[in-house]
Amino acid sequence: MSTAAEGTVLWQPSEALQQGSVMRDFMRWLAEHKGLRFEEYPALWEWSAANPGPFWEALWRFWDVKSSAPYTAPLEHPQMPGARWFSGARLNYAEHVFRNASADRPALIYESELRPLGEVSWAELERQVASIAASLRAMGVQPGDRVVGYIPNIPEAVAAFLAAASLGAIWSSCSPDMGSASVVDRFKQIEPKVLFAVDGYRYNGKDFDRRETVRELQAALPTLEHTVLVPYLNPDAQVSELGPSALPWSDLLTNEAPPSFEQVAFEHPLWVLYSSGTTGLPKPIVQGHGGILLEHFKHLALHIDLRPEDHFFWFTTTGWMMWNLLIGGLLVGSTVLLYDGSPARENMGALWSFAERAGTTYFGASAAYIASCMKSGVEPATQYDLSRIRGMGSTGSPLSVEGFQWVYEQVKPDVWLASMSGGTDVCTAFVGASPLLPVRAGEIQCRCLGTAVAAFDEEGQPVMNEVGELVITQPMPSMPLYFWNDPDGTRYRESYFEMFPGVWRHGDWVRITPNGGVVIYGRSDATINRQGIRMGTSEIYRVVEDIPEVLDSLVVDLEYLGRLSFMPLFVVLQPGLTLDEALTVKIKDRIRAVLSARYVPNAIYQIDEVPRTLSGKKLELPIKKILLGQPATKVANPDAMANPQTIAYFAALAQTL
């Protein structure tokens, strides 16, 4: 293949794929039941974006959502924030998971560095969920109580989540590679009643014992009444080490209870996800049963054409929203594939090997993973049998033109590559794939149905084929119900609606192309986005500035279209100190231990002062823009700065990056 340019068509959907797609089924349903006839995707999108109430009601009818009580209207109060969806309806997310259960195929296929390839049948998953739910109910867990998991991407995490959801309890999870301080910052806000935790895990051949971390969580979470130990690293791990309120996972599987599903309101909380801003603790984002149910069905069935016969895989941890979307594959009856371990094993071949042995039909990963495969020289098409893969997803950061081309040259020439971009905030993609459209190098295929995506300039005016702020101009049912501990909604409004009142501003740079495609360029704010997981700079500052040698710090992420994330950390040290190798290692080790390995900076620089505004705020976004190559005179106003002389250092550094 010759070198592709942005916009080069790399794949065209066959007529058979188009006509047999769920998207076409939905279009035929609209024509038959609503008298709405759309021949092409752009017209369907225009209608769905402009008419959110009728669109989401049509999707409800098309999928035949099971509700024990009728709704009064699909959408009330359509303003943002404050939209109300399907008031009066009562349903349960977990109940819909088992609607497409089948004895002909497994519910889960799993593998990890600790466990060989295995599977869980639909019947066994349902039995486990019912038993765990009965055990949780016996512990006093009621609708609205919080159940949390410090647990990797293994079948026990899926069963625990579905059990909590079946009761109307609220789930939240963190990956065990996160340190106790980072986990406490999240879980303590929501006051959990029950904690599911592993004793440890194995990553890249190295064992990590997490029992001491679990004890730290227990001590820091006073509302905990029970801890459930999942023996993972050591099958003989003793629950007695975690105190009298702890019990083994096996105890929860002894109840022979029939499945039952608490009927809850459409907007009853399903889970809490975390998306950090630049200040304060991570934002605890609350999303509801009904909104997630409809959104995930729409995205998985219509946009990536997922079917019951599919083996659906996405490489993720339980701390990334892609885990929640992955589990959504059960809603359409697909077999969900779980992998826990390092993707770098076997010279970046671990996931491709798993894909071959698990019979993967849809393979999802981050753009950073694709870039790493490119650099490593792995050639999946020649090293593994990937004949069953029909679709491949990429998200987490912008996928470059070269990344697109690598997939078609080194994975499969006829694969449907679905680049997508969205956010934890809505637990889905705003822009993504369509089985009716071509794949063009460097472009996301389309704006998603029911998602009124636009690019705004700084004056709040829509622009086409120009880089602008990604905004959403109509409500979506999976938008946050609220943030936990934000009773008047102040933090919620500040997070999304401060720049353009009444319009959701997401914090990404975007360009909508003349053919309806989308190019994401990276974060337009100072939030860090590494491997698709947004993190707050404030979390890093708290850890770094707690080190005695460090007086002040600044961190930015230089992710932008066509380049990998590069996160430099700048530190101001105590007088007389110099940043040497020992202190550099100390800072990185501290971040790795307290927060997570993904927070570790690519480089650390010593500076004299952190650039600040007259009011004392760190100039994160202007410094980011300067380091990305924008003229300092255009992005930093010296008259608004307390120390304008500091800018010269960053302007000079930009020439070397």
Side-chain angles (χ1 to χ4, degrees), residues 341-630:
S342 170
R345 293 168 58 243
E346 303 176 38
N347 188 31
M348 296 303 298
L351 301 188
W352 303 111
S353 174
F354 173 66
E356 175 186 322
R357 288 176 287 106
T360 304
T361 62
Y362 199 95
F363 182 100
S366 66
Y369 172 73
I370 293 173
S372 296
C373 287
M374 292 169 63
K375 287 189 172 185
S376 74
V378 64
E379 298 179 351
T382 61
Q383 296 171 257
Y384 306 96
D385 179 3
L386 305 179
S387 58
R388 291 195 62 189
I389 293 180
R390 62 170 184 85
M392 184 170 169
S394 170
T395 193
S397 58
L399 183 63
S400 66
V401 170
E402 294 76 17
F404 274 78
Q405 188 164 4
W406 181 87
V407 168
Y408 282 96
E409 290 180 343
Q410 301 296 343
V411 179
K412 206 173 183 185
D414 61 347
V415 73
W416 171 19
L417 176 57
S419 180
M420 58 190 73
S421 182
T424 301
D425 320 74
V426 290
C427 199
T428 191
F430 295 123
V431 293
S434 168
L436 310 183
L437 298 172
V439 171
R440 300 175 186 271
E443 291 187 17
I444 295 170
Q445 286 178 282
C446 63
R447 291 172 279 185
C448 292
L449 296 179
T451 310
V453 174
F456 272 15
D457 63 19
E458 292 183 357
E459 284 72 45
Q461 297 301 310
V463 294
M464 287 295 293
N465 208 27
E466 296 180 21
V467 177
E469 290 278 354
L470 191 158
V471 300
I472 311 297
T473 60
Q474 295 278 8
M476 297 168 58
S478 69
M479 283 177 172
L481 303 175
Y482 51 85
F483 290 169
W484 205 269
N485 293 329
D486 182 31
D488 62 357
T490 297
R491 196 179 183 196
Y492 185 18
R493 290 190 299 273
E494 289 176 348
S495 295
Y496 309 114
F497 303 104
E498 195 168 50
M499 179 174 284
F500 307 116
V503 172
W504 175 292
R505 178 245 183 180
H506 192 61
D508 280 335
W509 280 308
V510 65
R511 177 170 62 89
I512 300 169
T513 69
N515 57 46
V518 179
V519 181
I520 301 290
Y521 288 83
R523 295 297 300 172
S524 63
D525 60 17
T527 305
I528 306 298
N529 184 348
R530 303 201 101 190
Q531 301 171 26
I533 301 174
R534 288 173 58 187
M535 60 191 79
T537 53
S538 59
E539 294 186 79
I540 299 173
Y541 296 147
R542 283 202 303 273
V543 174
V544 171
E545 293 168 20
D546 192 47
I547 297 171
E549 294 90 337
V550 180
L551 288 176
D552 203 357
S553 61
L554 177 76
V555 66
V556 295
D557 184 22
L558 304 184
E559 173 209 27
Y560 200 70
L561 180 64
R563 64 178 290 170
L564 293 176
S565 166
F566 180 79
M567 189 178 82
L569 171 68
F570 303 92
V571 294
V572 180
L573 302 181
Q574 295 281 2
L577 295 183
T578 300
L579 182 66
D580 56 16
E581 183 177 354
L583 182 54
T584 298
V585 170
K586 179 178 180 178
I587 293 171
K588 289 185 175 183
D589 286 348
R590 182 66 176 162
I591 292 171
R592 184 180 291 107
V594 177
L595 296 176
S596 169
R598 66 175 67 97
Y599 290 58
V600 175
N602 295 97
I604 305 178
Y605 301 89
Q606 183 176 356
I607 58 175
D608 294 330
E609 291 181 78
V610 169
R612 292 182 181 273
T613 65
L614 292 172
S615 61
K617 184 178 180 180
K618 299 179 183 184
L619 263 70
E620 294 172 325
L621 186 54
I623 296 304
K624 173 179 177 175
K625 290 180 177 180
I626 290 170
L627 294 177
L628 284 171
Q630 296 189 35

Side-chain angles (χ1 to χ4, degrees), residues 35-47:
L36 296 168
R37 289 174 172 79
F38 304 103
E39 297 301 322
E40 305 295 338
Y41 181 84
L44 175 61
W45 176 81
E46 289 279 0
W47 170 77

Side-chain angles (χ1 to χ4, degrees), residues 97-241:
V97 161
F98 292 101
R99 287 181 69 185
N100 293 305
S102 171
D104 298 331
R105 55 186 183 271
L108 306 173
I109 295 177
Y110 61 88
E111 185 177 89
S112 75
E113 294 187 28
L114 286 165
R115 294 173 175 174
L117 191 71
E119 62 181 49
V120 178
S121 69
W122 279 98
E124 175 60 17
L125 179 61
E126 187 172 50
R127 187 196 71 78
Q128 288 186 18
V129 168
S131 181
I132 296 166
S135 298
L136 290 173
R137 190 180 292 110
M139 295 178 197
V141 173
Q142 300 177 4
D145 286 340
R146 276 73 66 203
V147 175
V148 297
Y150 187 59
I151 191 167
N153 184 21
I154 56 178
E156 289 91 335
V158 179
F161 155 60
L162 291 175
S166 73
L167 295 175
I170 305 169
W171 174 260
S172 190
S173 58
C174 287
S175 173
D177 69 334
M178 298 177 69
S180 60
S182 190
V183 178
V184 169
D185 280 350
R186 288 156 172 76
F187 287 169
K188 192 170 185 178
Q189 296 185 72
I190 64 171
E191 301 179 311
K193 181 177 282 189
V194 177
L195 167 68
F196 287 85
V198 290
D199 60 316
Y201 64 96
R202 181 173 296 163
Y203 188 86
N204 206 22
K206 184 179 179 181
D207 290 347
F208 295 85
D209 190 321
R210 304 309 270 171
R211 287 173 295 179
E212 180 57 36
T213 304
V214 174
R215 286 190 286 268
E216 292 172 4
L217 296 180
Q218 289 176 307
L221 301 173
T223 58
L224 271 188
E225 296 179 8
H226 299 279
T227 299
V228 179
L229 179 65
V230 179
Y232 184 46
L233 178 62
N234 178 7
D236 298 321
Q238 296 300 308
V239 72
S240 59
E241 300 177 19

